Amino acid sequence: MTSTTSAQSQFSLPVFNINGTSPASIQDEYNNAMTTIRKAEQLLLNCTCHARDFQFQTYDRYLKAREEREQMLEQLRSVHDYCEVWYWHAVEPN
């Protein structure tokens, strides 16, 4: 497996040491978080956002709802990217 996040992602990452959390624990925790975020993303994608539900409003309202939905999905992707950087940092420590 290799990372799908940009190598230029800038997050504060730990330096693993004998007194801290083990890389294996970080791997497990962030892998679980990524799995849950992917499930949340899929569930949101499966939720209805259809123009027919905005038929008594202007079309702009529907377009705004679609844009808001895309923004929420992008936020989930950002959280996933954050978790993925931590995960790969634990898998491939420097």
Side-chain angles (χ1 to χ4, degrees):
M1 257 190 199
T2 59
S3 176
T4 59
T5 59
S6 168
Q8 297 176 342
S9 294
Q10 296 295 317
F11 295 111
S12 297
L13 298 170
V15 174
F16 296 110
N17 64 78
I18 198 165
N19 294 320
T21 305
S22 72
S25 292
I26 296 291
Q27 287 176 32
D28 290 344
E29 294 166 2
Y30 282 86
N31 187 53
N32 288 337
M34 287 189 298
T35 300
T36 302
I37 292 164
R38 283 192 296 268
K39 287 178 185 176
E41 183 180 9
Q42 192 58 52
L43 288 169
L44 182 56
L45 285 168
N46 292 339
C47 291
T48 301
C49 182
H50 196 280
R52 70 176 169 258
D53 299 320
F54 292 83
Q55 64 184 340
F56 298 112
Q57 301 177 53
T58 64
Y59 189 67
D60 289 346
R61 292 289 181 121
Y62 166 64
L63 293 177
K64 182 163 177 36
R66 278 187 30 196
E67 180 183 323
E68 291 166 348
R69 174 190 174 102
E70 189 55 40
Q71 289 171 357
M72 295 303 112
L73 288 166
E74 187 58 38
Q75 289 180 26
L76 282 173
R77 289 181 200 114
S78 293
V79 173
H80 183 276
D81 288 349
Y82 167 81
C83 292
E84 188 174 25
V85 168
W86 271 74
Y87 172 82
W88 284 110
H89 179 68
V91 170
E92 303 167 348
N94 294 338

Coordinates of all heavy atoms in Angstrom, one line a residue:
M1 N 0.8 -1.2 0.0 CA 0.0 0.0 0.0 C 0.9 1.2 0.0 O 1.9 1.3 0.7 CB -0.8 0.0 1.3 CG -2.2 -0.4 1.1 SD -3.1 0.0 2.6 CE -4.5 -1.0 2.4
T2 N 0.4 2.2 -0.7 CA 1.1 3.5 -0.7 C 0.1 4.6 -0.5 O -1.1 4.5 -0.7 CB 1.9 3.8 -2.0 OG1 0.9 3.8 -3.1 CG2 3.0 2.8 -2.3
S3 N 0.6 5.7 0.0 CA -0.3 6.9 0.4 C -0.9 7.5 -0.9 O -0.3 7.6 -1.9 CB 0.5 7.9 1.1 OG -0.3 9.0 1.3
T4 N -2.2 7.9 -0.8 CA -2.8 8.6 -1.8 C -2.9 10.1 -1.6 O -3.4 10.9 -2.4 CB -4.3 8.1 -2.1 OG1 -5.0 8.3 -0.9 CG2 -4.3 6.6 -2.5
T5 N -2.4 10.5 -0.4 CA -2.4 11.9 -0.1 C -1.1 12.6 -0.7 O -0.1 11.9 -1.0 CB -2.4 12.2 1.4 OG1 -1.3 11.6 2.0 CG2 -3.7 11.7 2.0
S6 N -1.2 13.9 -0.9 CA -0.1 14.6 -1.4 C 1.0 14.6 -0.5 O 0.8 14.8 0.7 CB -0.6 16.1 -1.7 OG 0.5 16.9 -1.9
A7 N 2.2 14.5 -1.0 CA 3.4 14.5 -0.1 C 3.6 15.9 0.5 O 4.3 16.1 1.5 CB 4.7 14.1 -0.9
Q8 N 2.9 16.9 -0.1 CA 3.1 18.3 0.4 C 2.1 18.6 1.5 O 2.1 19.7 2.0 CB 2.9 19.2 -0.7 CG 3.9 19.1 -1.8 CD 3.7 20.0 -3.0 OE1 2.6 20.5 -3.2 NE2 4.7 20.2 -3.8
S9 N 1.3 17.6 2.0 CA 0.4 17.8 3.1 C 1.2 18.3 4.3 O 2.2 17.6 4.6 CB -0.4 16.6 3.4 OG -1.3 16.2 2.4
Q10 N 0.7 19.3 4.9 CA 1.4 19.8 6.1 C 0.6 19.6 7.4 O -0.3 20.4 7.6 CB 1.7 21.3 5.9 CG 2.6 21.6 4.7 CD 4.0 21.1 4.9 OE1 4.6 21.1 6.0 NE2 4.6 20.5 3.9
F11 N 1.0 18.6 8.1 CA 0.3 18.3 9.4 C 1.4 18.1 10.4 O 2.5 17.7 10.1 CB -0.5 17.0 9.3 CG -1.7 17.2 8.4 CD1 -1.8 16.4 7.2 CD2 -2.8 18.0 8.7 CE1 -2.9 16.5 6.4 CE2 -3.9 18.1 7.9 CZ -3.9 17.4 6.7
S12 N 1.2 18.4 11.6 CA 2.1 18.2 12.7 C 2.1 16.7 13.1 O 1.0 16.2 13.4 CB 1.7 19.0 13.9 OG 1.8 20.4 13.6
L13 N 3.2 16.1 12.9 CA 3.3 14.6 13.1 C 4.2 14.3 14.3 O 5.2 15.0 14.5 CB 3.7 13.9 11.9 CG 2.8 14.1 10.7 CD1 3.5 13.6 9.4 CD2 1.5 13.4 10.9
P14 N 3.9 13.2 15.0 CA 4.8 12.9 16.1 C 6.1 12.3 15.7 O 6.3 11.8 14.6 CB 3.9 11.8 16.9 CG 3.2 11.2 15.8 CD 2.8 12.3 14.8
V15 N 7.0 12.3 16.7 CA 8.3 11.5 16.5 C 8.1 10.4 17.5 O 7.9 10.5 18.7 CB 9.5 12.4 17.0 CG1 10.8 11.6 17.0 CG2 9.6 13.6 16.0
F16 N 8.1 9.2 16.9 CA 7.9 8.0 17.7 C 9.1 7.7 18.6 O 10.2 7.8 18.1 CB 7.6 6.8 16.8 CG 6.3 7.0 16.1 CD1 6.3 7.2 14.7 CD2 5.1 7.0 16.8 CE1 5.1 7.3 14.0 CE2 3.9 7.2 16.1 CZ 3.9 7.4 14.7
N17 N 8.8 7.4 19.9 CA 9.9 7.1 20.8 C 9.4 6.1 21.8 O 8.2 5.8 21.9 CB 10.4 8.4 21.4 CG 9.4 9.0 22.3 OD1 9.1 8.6 23.4 ND2 8.7 10.1 21.8
I18 N 10.3 5.6 22.6 CA 10.0 4.5 23.6 C 9.0 5.0 24.7 O 8.3 4.2 25.2 CB 11.3 4.0 24.3 CG1 11.0 2.7 24.9 CG2 11.9 5.0 25.2 CD1 12.3 1.9 25.3
N19 N 8.9 6.3 24.9 CA 8.0 6.8 25.9 C 6.6 7.2 25.4 O 5.7 7.6 26.1 CB 8.6 8.0 26.7 CG 9.8 7.6 27.5 OD1 9.8 6.6 28.1 ND2 10.8 8.5 27.4
G20 N 6.4 7.1 24.1 CA 5.2 7.5 23.5 C 4.3 6.4 22.9 O 4.6 5.2 23.2
T21 N 3.3 6.8 22.2 CA 2.4 5.8 21.6 C 3.2 5.1 20.5 O 3.9 5.7 19.7 CB 1.2 6.5 21.0 OG1 0.6 7.4 22.0 CG2 0.2 5.6 20.4
S22 N 2.9 3.8 20.4 CA 3.6 3.0 19.4 C 3.0 3.3 18.0 O 1.9 3.6 17.8 CB 3.4 1.5 19.7 OG 2.1 1.1 19.4
P23 N 3.9 3.1 17.0 CA 3.4 3.3 15.6 C 2.3 2.3 15.3 O 1.3 2.7 14.6 CB 4.6 3.0 14.8 CG 5.8 3.3 15.6 CD 5.3 3.0 17.0
A24 N 2.3 1.1 15.8 CA 1.3 0.1 15.6 C -0.1 0.6 16.1 O -1.1 0.4 15.4 CB 1.6 -1.2 16.2
S25 N -0.1 1.2 17.3 CA -1.3 1.8 17.8 C -1.9 2.9 16.9 O -3.1 3.0 16.6 CB -1.1 2.3 19.2 OG -0.9 1.3 20.1
I26 N -1.0 3.8 16.5 CA -1.4 4.9 15.6 C -2.0 4.3 14.3 O -3.0 4.8 13.8 CB -0.2 5.8 15.3 CG1 0.3 6.5 16.6 CG2 -0.5 6.8 14.2 CD1 -0.7 7.5 17.2
Q27 N -1.3 3.3 13.7 CA -1.8 2.7 12.5 C -3.2 2.1 12.7 O -4.1 2.4 11.9 CB -0.9 1.5 12.1 CG 0.4 1.8 11.6 CD 1.3 0.6 11.3 OE1 0.7 -0.5 11.0 NE2 2.6 0.7 11.5
D28 N -3.4 1.4 13.8 CA -4.8 0.8 14.0 C -5.8 1.9 14.2 O -6.9 1.8 13.6 CB -4.7 -0.1 15.3 CG -4.0 -1.4 15.1 OD1 -3.7 -1.7 13.9 OD2 -3.6 -2.0 16.1
E29 N -5.5 2.9 15.0 CA -6.5 4.0 15.3 C -6.8 4.8 14.1 O -8.0 5.0 13.8 CB -5.9 4.9 16.4 CG -5.7 4.3 17.8 CD -4.9 5.1 18.7 OE1 -4.4 6.2 18.4 OE2 -4.7 4.6 19.8
Y30 N -5.8 5.2 13.3 CA -6.1 6.0 12.1 C -6.7 5.2 11.0 O -7.5 5.7 10.2 CB -4.9 6.8 11.7 CG -4.7 8.0 12.7 CD1 -4.0 7.9 13.9 CD2 -5.3 9.2 12.3 CE1 -3.9 9.0 14.7 CE2 -5.2 10.3 13.2 CZ -4.5 10.2 14.4 OH -4.4 11.2 15.2
N31 N -6.4 3.9 10.9 CA -7.0 3.0 9.9 C -8.5 2.9 10.2 O -9.3 2.9 9.3 CB -6.3 1.6 9.9 CG -6.9 0.8 8.8 OD1 -6.9 1.2 7.6 ND2 -7.3 -0.4 9.1
N32 N -8.8 2.7 11.5 CA -10.2 2.6 11.9 C -11.0 3.9 11.6 O -12.1 3.9 11.1 CB -10.3 2.3 13.4 CG -10.0 0.9 13.7 OD1 -10.0 0.0 12.9 ND2 -9.6 0.6 15.0
A33 N -10.3 5.0 11.9 CA -10.9 6.3 11.6 C -11.1 6.5 10.1 O -12.2 6.9 9.6 CB -10.0 7.5 12.1
M34 N -10.2 6.1 9.3 CA -10.3 6.2 7.8 C -11.4 5.3 7.3 O -12.2 5.7 6.4 CB -9.0 5.8 7.1 CG -7.9 6.9 7.2 SD -6.5 6.6 6.2 CE -5.9 5.0 6.8
T35 N -11.5 4.1 7.8 CA -12.6 3.2 7.4 C -14.0 3.8 7.7 O -14.9 3.8 6.9 CB -12.5 1.9 8.1 OG1 -11.2 1.3 7.8 CG2 -13.6 0.9 7.8
T36 N -14.1 4.4 8.9 CA -15.4 5.0 9.3 C -15.7 6.2 8.5 O -16.9 6.4 8.1 CB -15.3 5.4 10.8 OG1 -15.1 4.2 11.6 CG2 -16.6 6.0 11.3
I37 N -14.7 7.0 8.2 CA -14.9 8.2 7.3 C -15.4 7.8 5.9 O -16.3 8.4 5.3 CB -13.7 9.1 7.3 CG1 -13.4 9.7 8.7 CG2 -13.8 10.2 6.2 CD1 -12.1 10.3 8.9
R38 N -14.7 6.7 5.4 CA -15.2 6.2 4.0 C -16.6 5.8 4.1 O -17.4 6.0 3.2 CB -14.2 5.1 3.6 CG -12.9 5.6 3.1 CD -12.1 4.5 2.3 NE -11.7 3.4 3.2 CZ -10.6 3.4 3.8 NH1 -9.7 4.3 3.7 NH2 -10.3 2.3 4.6
K39 N -17.0 5.1 5.2 CA -18.4 4.7 5.3 C -19.3 5.9 5.4 O -20.4 5.9 4.8 CB -18.6 3.8 6.6 CG -18.0 2.4 6.4 CD -18.1 1.6 7.7 CE -17.4 0.3 7.7 NZ -17.5 -0.4 8.9
A40 N -18.9 6.9 6.2 CA -19.8 8.1 6.3 C -19.9 8.8 4.9 O -21.0 9.3 4.5 CB -19.1 9.1 7.3
E41 N -18.8 8.8 4.2 CA -18.8 9.4 2.8 C -19.8 8.7 1.9 O -20.6 9.3 1.2 CB -17.4 9.4 2.2 CG -17.4 10.1 0.9 CD -16.0 10.1 0.3 OE1 -15.1 9.4 0.8 OE2 -15.8 10.8 -0.7
Q42 N -19.7 7.4 2.0 CA -20.6 6.6 1.1 C -22.1 6.7 1.6 O -23.0 6.9 0.7 CB -20.2 5.1 1.2 CG -20.9 4.2 0.2 CD -20.7 4.7 -1.3 OE1 -19.5 4.9 -1.7 NE2 -21.7 4.9 -2.0
L43 N -22.3 6.8 2.9 CA -23.7 7.0 3.3 C -24.2 8.4 2.9 O -25.4 8.5 2.5 CB -23.7 6.9 4.9 CG -23.6 5.5 5.4 CD1 -23.4 5.5 6.9 CD2 -24.8 4.6 5.1
L44 N -23.4 9.4 2.9 CA -23.8 10.7 2.5 C -24.0 10.7 1.0 O -25.0 11.3 0.5 CB -22.8 11.8 2.9 CG -23.1 13.2 2.5 CD1 -24.5 13.6 3.1 CD2 -22.0 14.2 3.0
L45 N -23.2 10.0 0.2 CA -23.4 9.9 -1.2 C -24.7 9.3 -1.5 O -25.4 9.6 -2.6 CB -22.2 9.2 -1.9 CG -21.0 10.0 -2.0 CD1 -19.8 9.0 -2.4 CD2 -21.1 11.1 -3.0
N46 N -25.1 8.3 -0.7 CA -26.4 7.6 -0.9 C -27.6 8.4 -0.5 O -28.8 8.0 -0.8 CB -26.4 6.3 -0.2 CG -25.4 5.3 -0.8 OD1 -25.0 5.4 -1.9 ND2 -25.0 4.3 0.0
C47 N -27.4 9.5 0.2 CA -28.6 10.3 0.7 C -29.1 11.1 -0.5 O -28.4 11.6 -1.4 CB -28.1 11.3 1.8 SG -27.7 10.5 3.3
T48 N -30.4 11.3 -0.5 CA -31.1 12.0 -1.6 C -30.8 13.5 -1.6 O -30.9 14.1 -0.5 CB -32.6 11.7 -1.6 OG1 -32.8 10.3 -1.7 CG2 -33.3 12.4 -2.7
C49 N -30.4 14.0 -2.7 CA -30.4 15.5 -3.0 C -30.8 15.6 -4.4 O -30.0 15.6 -5.4 CB -29.0 16.0 -2.7 SG -28.9 17.8 -3.0
H50 N -32.1 15.8 -4.7 CA -32.7 15.7 -6.0 C -33.5 17.0 -6.3 O -34.2 17.5 -5.4 CB -33.6 14.5 -6.2 CG -33.9 14.2 -7.6 ND1 -34.8 14.8 -8.3 CD2 -33.3 13.2 -8.4 CE1 -34.9 14.3 -9.5 NE2 -34.0 13.3 -9.6
A51 N -33.4 17.4 -7.5 CA -34.1 18.7 -7.9 C -35.6 18.6 -7.6 O -36.3 19.6 -7.3 CB -33.9 19.0 -9.4
R52 N -36.2 17.4 -7.7 CA -37.7 17.3 -7.5 C -38.1 17.7 -6.1 O -39.3 18.1 -5.9 CB -38.1 15.8 -7.8 CG -37.6 14.8 -6.8 CD -38.2 13.4 -7.0 NE -37.5 12.5 -6.1 CZ -36.5 11.7 -6.5 NH1 -36.1 11.7 -7.7 NH2 -35.9 11.0 -5.6
D53 N -37.2 17.6 -5.2 CA -37.5 18.0 -3.8 C -37.4 19.5 -3.6 O -37.8 20.0 -2.5 CB -36.6 17.3 -2.8 CG -36.8 15.8 -2.9 OD1 -37.9 15.3 -3.1 OD2 -35.7 15.1 -2.9
F54 N -37.0 20.3 -4.7 CA -36.9 21.7 -4.6 C -37.9 22.3 -5.6 O -37.7 23.5 -6.0 CB -35.5 22.2 -4.9 CG -34.5 21.8 -3.8 CD1 -34.0 20.5 -3.8 CD2 -34.2 22.7 -2.8 CE1 -33.1 20.1 -2.8 CE2 -33.3 22.3 -1.8 CZ -32.8 21.0 -1.8
Q55 N -38.9 21.6 -6.1 CA -39.8 22.0 -7.2 C -40.6 23.3 -6.9 O -41.0 24.0 -7.8 CB -40.7 20.9 -7.6 CG -41.7 20.4 -6.6 CD -42.5 19.3 -7.1 OE1 -42.6 19.0 -8.3 NE2 -43.1 18.5 -6.2
F56 N -40.8 23.6 -5.6 CA -41.6 24.8 -5.3 C -40.6 26.0 -5.0 O -41.1 27.0 -4.4 CB -42.5 24.6 -4.2 CG -43.6 23.5 -4.6 CD1 -43.5 22.3 -3.9 CD2 -44.5 23.8 -5.5 CE1 -44.5 21.3 -4.3 CE2 -45.4 22.8 -5.9 CZ -45.4 21.6 -5.3
Q57 N -39.4 25.8 -5.3 CA -38.4 26.9 -5.0 C -37.7 27.1 -6.4 O -37.8 26.4 -7.3 CB -37.4 26.4 -4.0 CG -38.0 26.1 -2.6 CD -36.9 25.6 -1.7 OE1 -35.9 26.2 -1.5 NE2 -37.2 24.4 -1.1
T58 N -36.9 28.2 -6.4 CA -36.1 28.5 -7.6 C -35.1 27.4 -7.8 O -34.6 26.8 -6.8 CB -35.4 29.8 -7.6 OG1 -34.5 29.9 -6.5 CG2 -36.5 31.0 -7.4
Y59 N -34.6 27.2 -9.0 CA -33.6 26.2 -9.4 C -32.3 26.5 -8.7 O -31.5 25.6 -8.3 CB -33.4 26.1 -10.9 CG -32.5 25.0 -11.3 CD1 -33.0 23.6 -11.2 CD2 -31.3 25.2 -11.9 CE1 -32.2 22.6 -11.6 CE2 -30.5 24.2 -12.3 CZ -30.9 22.9 -12.1 OH -30.1 21.8 -12.5
D60 N -32.1 27.8 -8.4 CA -30.9 28.2 -7.7 C -30.8 27.5 -6.3 O -29.7 27.2 -5.8 CB -30.8 29.7 -7.5 CG -30.5 30.4 -8.9 OD1 -30.1 29.7 -9.8 OD2 -30.7 31.6 -8.9
R61 N -31.9 27.3 -5.7 CA -31.9 26.7 -4.3 C -31.4 25.3 -4.4 O -30.7 24.8 -3.5 CB -33.3 26.7 -3.7 CG -33.8 28.1 -3.3 CD -33.1 28.6 -2.1 NE -33.6 29.9 -1.8 CZ -34.1 30.2 -0.6 NH1 -34.2 29.3 0.3 NH2 -34.6 31.4 -0.4
Y62 N -31.8 24.6 -5.4 CA -31.3 23.2 -5.6 C -29.8 23.2 -5.9 O -29.1 22.4 -5.3 CB -32.1 22.5 -6.8 CG -31.4 21.2 -7.2 CD1 -31.3 20.1 -6.4 CD2 -30.9 21.1 -8.5 CE1 -30.7 19.0 -6.8 CE2 -30.2 20.0 -8.9 CZ -30.1 18.9 -8.1 OH -29.5 17.8 -8.5
L63 N -29.4 24.1 -6.7 CA -28.0 24.2 -7.1 C -27.1 24.5 -5.8 O -26.1 24.0 -5.6 CB -27.7 25.2 -8.1 CG -28.3 24.9 -9.5 CD1 -28.0 26.0 -10.5 CD2 -27.7 23.6 -10.0
K64 N -27.7 25.4 -4.9 CA -27.0 25.7 -3.7 C -27.0 24.5 -2.8 O -25.9 24.2 -2.1 CB -27.7 26.8 -3.0 CG -27.0 27.3 -1.7 CD -27.5 28.6 -1.2 CE -26.9 29.1 0.1 NZ -25.6 28.7 0.4
A65 N -28.0 23.7 -2.7 CA -28.1 22.5 -1.9 C -27.0 21.5 -2.4 O -26.3 20.8 -1.6 CB -29.5 21.9 -1.9
R66 N -26.9 21.3 -3.7 CA -25.9 20.4 -4.3 C -24.5 20.9 -4.0 O -23.6 20.1 -3.6 CB -26.0 20.3 -5.8 CG -27.1 19.4 -6.2 CD -27.1 19.1 -7.7 NE -25.9 19.3 -8.4 CZ -25.7 19.5 -9.7 NH1 -26.8 19.5 -10.5 NH2 -24.5 19.6 -10.2
E67 N -24.3 22.2 -4.0 CA -23.0 22.8 -3.7 C -22.6 22.6 -2.2 O -21.5 22.2 -1.9 CB -23.0 24.3 -4.0 CG -21.7 25.0 -3.7 CD -21.7 26.5 -3.9 OE1 -22.4 26.9 -4.9 OE2 -21.1 27.2 -3.1
E68 N -23.6 22.8 -1.3 CA -23.4 22.5 0.1 C -23.0 21.1 0.4 O -22.2 20.7 1.2 CB -24.6 22.9 0.9 CG -24.9 24.4 0.9 CD -26.3 24.8 1.4 OE1 -27.2 23.9 1.5 OE2 -26.5 26.0 1.6
R69 N -23.7 20.2 -0.3 CA -23.5 18.7 -0.2 C -22.0 18.4 -0.6 O -21.3 17.7 0.0 CB -24.5 18.0 -1.1 CG -24.2 16.5 -1.1 CD -25.2 15.9 -2.2 NE -24.9 14.5 -2.5 CZ -25.7 13.6 -2.0 NH1 -26.7 13.9 -1.2 NH2 -25.4 12.3 -2.3
E70 N -21.6 19.0 -1.7 CA -20.2 18.8 -2.2 C -19.2 19.3 -1.2 O -18.2 18.7 -1.0 CB -20.0 19.4 -3.6 CG -18.7 19.0 -4.2 CD -18.5 17.5 -4.4 OE1 -19.4 16.8 -4.7 OE2 -17.3 17.1 -4.1
Q71 N -19.5 20.4 -0.6 CA -18.6 21.0 0.4 C -18.5 20.1 1.6 O -17.4 19.9 2.2 CB -19.1 22.4 0.9 CG -19.0 23.5 -0.1 CD -19.7 24.8 0.3 OE1 -20.3 24.8 1.3 NE2 -19.5 25.8 -0.6
M72 N -19.6 19.5 2.0 CA -19.6 18.5 3.1 C -18.7 17.3 2.8 O -17.9 16.8 3.6 CB -21.0 18.1 3.5 CG -21.9 19.2 4.1 SD -21.1 20.0 5.5 CE -20.8 21.6 4.8
L73 N -18.9 16.8 1.5 CA -18.1 15.7 1.1 C -16.6 16.0 1.0 O -15.8 15.2 1.4 CB -18.6 15.2 -0.3 CG -19.9 14.5 -0.3 CD1 -20.5 14.3 -1.7 CD2 -19.8 13.1 0.4
E74 N -16.3 17.2 0.6 CA -14.9 17.7 0.6 C -14.3 17.7 2.0 O -13.2 17.4 2.2 CB -14.8 19.0 -0.1 CG -13.4 19.5 -0.3 CD -12.6 18.5 -1.1 OE1 -13.1 17.9 -2.1 OE2 -11.4 18.4 -0.8
Q75 N -15.1 18.2 3.0 CA -14.7 18.2 4.4 C -14.4 16.8 4.8 O -13.4 16.6 5.5 CB -15.7 18.9 5.3 CG -15.7 20.4 5.0 CD -16.7 21.1 5.9 OE1 -17.0 20.6 7.0 NE2 -17.2 22.2 5.4
L76 N -15.2 15.8 4.5 CA -14.9 14.4 4.9 C -13.6 14.0 4.2 O -12.8 13.3 4.8 CB -16.1 13.5 4.4 CG -17.3 13.5 5.3 CD1 -18.4 12.7 4.7 CD2 -17.0 13.0 6.7
R77 N -13.4 14.3 2.9 CA -12.2 14.0 2.3 C -11.0 14.6 3.0 O -9.9 14.0 3.1 CB -12.2 14.4 0.8 CG -13.2 13.5 0.0 CD -13.2 14.0 -1.5 NE -14.5 13.5 -2.1 CZ -15.5 14.2 -2.5 NH1 -15.3 15.6 -2.5 NH2 -16.5 13.7 -3.0
S78 N -11.1 15.8 3.4 CA -10.0 16.5 4.1 C -9.7 15.8 5.4 O -8.5 15.6 5.8 CB -10.4 17.9 4.4 OG -10.5 18.7 3.2
V79 N -10.7 15.3 6.2 CA -10.5 14.6 7.4 C -9.8 13.3 7.1 O -8.9 12.8 7.8 CB -11.8 14.4 8.2 CG1 -11.6 13.5 9.4 CG2 -12.3 15.8 8.6
H80 N -10.3 12.6 6.0 CA -9.7 11.4 5.6 C -8.2 11.6 5.3 O -7.3 10.8 5.7 CB -10.4 10.8 4.4 CG -9.9 9.5 4.0 ND1 -8.8 9.3 3.1 CD2 -10.3 8.2 4.3 CE1 -8.5 8.1 2.9 NE2 -9.4 7.4 3.6
D81 N -7.9 12.6 4.5 CA -6.5 12.9 4.2 C -5.6 13.1 5.4 O -4.5 12.6 5.5 CB -6.4 14.2 3.3 CG -6.9 13.9 1.9 OD1 -7.1 12.8 1.5 OD2 -7.1 14.9 1.2
Y82 N -6.2 13.8 6.4 CA -5.5 14.0 7.7 C -5.1 12.7 8.3 O -4.0 12.4 8.7 CB -6.3 14.9 8.6 CG -5.8 14.9 10.0 CD1 -4.8 15.8 10.4 CD2 -6.5 14.2 11.0 CE1 -4.3 15.8 11.7 CE2 -6.0 14.2 12.3 CZ -5.0 15.0 12.7 OH -4.5 15.0 14.0
C83 N -6.1 11.8 8.4 CA -5.9 10.5 9.0 C -5.0 9.7 8.2 O -4.1 9.0 8.8 CB -7.3 9.8 9.2 SG -8.4 10.5 10.3
E84 N -5.0 9.8 6.9 CA -4.1 9.0 6.1 C -2.7 9.4 6.3 O -1.8 8.6 6.3 CB -4.5 9.2 4.6 CG -3.8 8.2 3.7 CD -4.3 8.2 2.3 OE1 -4.9 9.3 1.9 OE2 -4.1 7.2 1.6
V85 N -2.4 10.7 6.4 CA -1.1 11.2 6.7 C -0.5 10.6 8.0 O 0.6 10.1 8.0 CB -1.0 12.7 6.6 CG1 0.3 13.2 7.2 CG2 -1.2 13.3 5.2
W86 N -1.3 10.6 9.0 CA -0.9 10.1 10.3 C -0.7 8.6 10.1 O 0.3 8.0 10.7 CB -2.0 10.3 11.4 CG -1.8 11.6 12.1 CD1 -2.0 12.9 11.6 CD2 -1.3 11.7 13.4 NE1 -1.8 13.8 12.6 CE2 -1.3 13.1 13.7 CE3 -0.9 10.9 14.4 CZ2 -0.9 13.6 14.9 CZ3 -0.5 11.4 15.6 CH2 -0.5 12.7 15.9
Y87 N -1.6 7.9 9.5 CA -1.4 6.4 9.3 C -0.1 6.1 8.6 O 0.7 5.3 9.1 CB -2.6 5.9 8.4 CG -2.5 4.5 8.0 CD1 -2.8 3.4 8.9 CD2 -2.0 4.1 6.8 CE1 -2.6 2.1 8.5 CE2 -1.8 2.8 6.4 CZ -2.1 1.8 7.3 OH -1.9 0.5 6.9
W88 N 0.2 6.7 7.4 CA 1.4 6.4 6.7 C 2.6 6.9 7.4 O 3.7 6.3 7.3 CB 1.3 7.0 5.3 CG 0.4 6.2 4.4 CD1 -0.8 6.5 3.9 CD2 0.7 4.9 4.0 NE1 -1.4 5.5 3.2 CE2 -0.5 4.5 3.2 CE3 1.7 4.0 4.1 CZ2 -0.6 3.2 2.6 CZ3 1.6 2.7 3.6 CH2 0.5 2.4 2.8
H89 N 2.5 7.9 8.2 CA 3.6 8.3 9.1 C 4.0 7.2 10.0 O 5.2 6.9 10.3 CB 3.3 9.6 9.8 CG 4.4 10.1 10.7 ND1 5.6 10.6 10.2 CD2 4.5 10.1 12.1 CE1 6.4 10.9 11.2 NE2 5.8 10.6 12.3
A90 N 3.0 6.5 10.6 CA 3.2 5.4 11.5 C 3.7 4.1 10.7 O 4.5 3.4 11.2 CB 2.0 5.1 12.3
V91 N 3.2 3.9 9.5 CA 3.7 2.8 8.7 C 5.1 2.9 8.2 O 5.9 2.0 8.3 CB 2.7 2.6 7.5 CG1 3.3 1.5 6.5 CG2 1.3 2.2 8.0
E92 N 5.4 4.1 7.8 CA 6.7 4.4 7.2 C 7.5 5.5 8.0 O 7.7 6.6 7.5 CB 6.6 4.8 5.8 CG 5.9 3.8 4.9 CD 5.4 4.3 3.6 OE1 5.5 5.5 3.3 OE2 5.0 3.5 2.7
P93 N 7.8 5.2 9.3 CA 8.4 6.3 10.1 C 9.8 6.6 9.5 O 10.5 5.8 8.9 CB 8.5 5.7 11.5 CG 8.4 4.2 11.3 CD 7.6 4.0 10.0
N94 N 10.1 7.9 9.6 CA 11.5 8.3 9.1 C 12.6 7.8 9.9 O 12.6 7.7 11.0 CB 11.5 9.9 9.0 CG 10.5 10.4 8.0 OD1 10.1 9.6 7.1 ND2 10.1 11.6 8.1

